[in-house]
Amino acid sequence: MYGAAVGRERYTYQLIKQSGAFTIHFLPFEEAAFIQYAGSISGVDTNKASSFGQQWKRGENGSPVFKECLSHV
């Protein structure tokens, strides 16, 4: 079982509410820098998906999926 909490004041909350979908990634330790980057900037000011370059694809629900993830839900 896995849970996620997103504050209503966060930009991510707005995106999830609009799309009705989100993705949780499980990444290997070697991707620690990517995890730090993705979690330290806001999508309000930056299109994070486009800044990831070719490292991602669209998942079944339309959310971005990082190609190097071990698993995603």
Side-chain angles (χ1 to χ4, degrees), residues 10-13 15 32-53:
R10 308 302 295 177
Y11 182 63
T12 299
Y13 178 83
L15 294 175
F34 174 78
I35 296 165
Q36 176 64 32
Y37 166 77
S40 64
I41 61 170
S42 172
V44 171
D45 303 318
T46 304
N47 181 340
K48 291 196 276 186
S50 68
S51 66
F52 299 158

Side-chain angles (χ1 to χ4, degrees), residues 27-69:
L27 299 172
F29 177 78
E30 294 77 27
E31 298 299 335
F34 174 78
I35 296 165
Q36 176 64 32
Y37 166 77
S40 64
I41 61 170
S42 172
V44 171
D45 303 318
T46 304
N47 181 340
K48 291 196 276 186
S50 68
S51 66
F52 299 158
Q54 299 298 316
Q55 299 176 14
W56 72 279
K57 61 183 179 180
R58 290 267 174 214
E60 292 177 20
N61 65 7
S63 297
V65 174
F66 188 63
K67 290 180 181 178
E68 299 299 320
C69 68

